[in-house]
Amino acid sequence: MNIFHPATFDDLNQARKIRMRNALIAAAAPAALALLEIFHPHPGHHLLALDVRTWLVVHYFQVPLFAMSAFSVASLVHAQVGLPAQLCRTALFVFALCFVVFDTAAGLVVGSLVEAAHASGRPDAWQAPINAIWTHPILGGTNHPLLALVGRMSLFVGTMSAAVSLYHAGRPWRPILLLALSGGVMYVFPGHSWPGGPLTFGTMAVAIAWLHAARPRMTLDQWFPGMRGQDPERRPAPRASIRDNRQRP
């Protein structure tokens, strides 16, 4: 059964249920990440004053959700071929790799050091190693670290190329536009704490769910299978629609 273009009325309700189930499953990771990012603490200039328990909990969940969110977007073009689809998959792999490493170092390692500093009874003695990681030019949490910059650019490229591929495949333009815009939110609101992260992945979740639930446009080959390249006047009548089947006794 084609869940996007069911051939009979009997298939319609089942196709809708399958599309809604797929939409919820596909959007679960970015939706969970958007909700989690609302509670992401803002570290400020004094890392030793960080709410370290919340910080660590957020980052333990955040690390796998970055990779799962990238997979959710890539799954939209799993059946597509061509340069935009290939570029999408490659860019999202780079995004997942960069943000997992970046968040492990700047999030989990820094948080663990802050926790150990307070447990030692001499937190000031830990300030130097904490700052060494936090200000690192590649994997740190400040001064525009390289991993964060590459990851942010890869996410933008991934969502834009996915949008191009999906548009050529006949998918609805409104969720495609939403998906394309989601990858650029962190250029307007830098960082993945509030508001950049929740807006990025919340918009992404809505776009993914919408694309899975919506039916694509019918192409000429879908209306007339096996008749590509023939004279339009010699094509047979379109196959029976759901409305036609509904009117049958």
Side-chain angles (χ1 to χ4, degrees):
M1 181 184 64
N2 188 333
I3 64 170
F4 291 115
H5 297 293
T8 68
F9 182 69
D10 293 336
D11 291 339
L12 180 59
N13 288 334
Q14 184 181 358
R16 284 174 176 168
K17 291 178 181 179
I18 294 173
R19 292 204 308 270
M20 292 306 298
R21 182 197 64 191
N22 292 346
L24 292 174
I25 293 173
L33 184 55
L35 182 62
L36 184 69
E37 301 283 27
I38 296 174
F39 303 97
H40 191 300
H42 290 268
H45 299 288
H46 303 287
L47 291 173
L48 290 174
L50 191 66
D51 181 357
V52 68
R53 178 172 296 181
T54 302
W55 177 272
L56 286 173
V57 169
V58 167
H59 285 83
Y60 276 124
F61 284 101
Q62 195 171 253
V63 167
L65 284 174
F66 279 133
M68 293 168 66
S69 297
F71 179 79
S72 293
V73 178
S75 68
L76 292 171
V77 297
H78 76 281
Q80 309 298 326
V81 296
L83 181 59
Q86 294 174 359
L87 182 60
C88 169
R89 291 187 281 266
T90 302
L92 290 170
F93 173 79
V94 174
F95 159 74
L97 181 65
C98 288
F99 261 62
V100 166
V101 176
F102 161 63
D103 229 45
T104 299
L108 293 176
V109 173
V110 168
S112 298
L113 288 175
V114 171
E115 187 178 47
H118 288 297
S120 70
R122 298 178 54 199
D124 291 342
W126 293 71
Q127 188 71 60
I130 292 172
N131 286 340
I133 297 177
W134 186 248
T135 59
H136 196 279
I138 296 177
L139 47 78
T142 187
N143 296 331
H144 307 292
L146 181 61
L147 283 177
L149 294 175
V150 173
R152 189 186 305 168
M153 173 60 73
S154 299
L155 180 63
F156 178 70
V157 172
T159 56
M160 288 294 295
S161 54
V164 172
S165 180
L166 292 168
Y167 181 78
H168 288 305
R171 307 310 302 275
W173 69 268
R174 291 180 180 86
I176 286 176
L177 178 61
L178 204 61
L179 179 66
L181 293 176
S182 69
V185 172
M186 282 193 283
Y187 284 103
V188 180
F189 303 103
H192 54 268
S193 56
W194 175 264
L199 291 177
T200 295
F201 297 103
T203 305
M204 184 183 296
V206 172
I208 291 171
W210 193 346
L211 284 163
H212 274 276
R215 293 170 61 185
R217 300 188 303 271
M218 288 285 283
T219 65
L220 197 59
D221 290 331
Q222 287 172 316
W223 279 109
F224 305 101
M227 301 292 290
R228 187 173 186 177
Q230 295 191 15
D231 186 352
E233 294 182 357
R234 299 180 59 189
R235 294 179 186 266
R239 64 188 183 188
S241 67
I242 292 173
R243 180 178 298 176
D244 295 333
N245 285 303
R246 184 184 303 172
Q247 294 172 350
R248 292 177 182 174

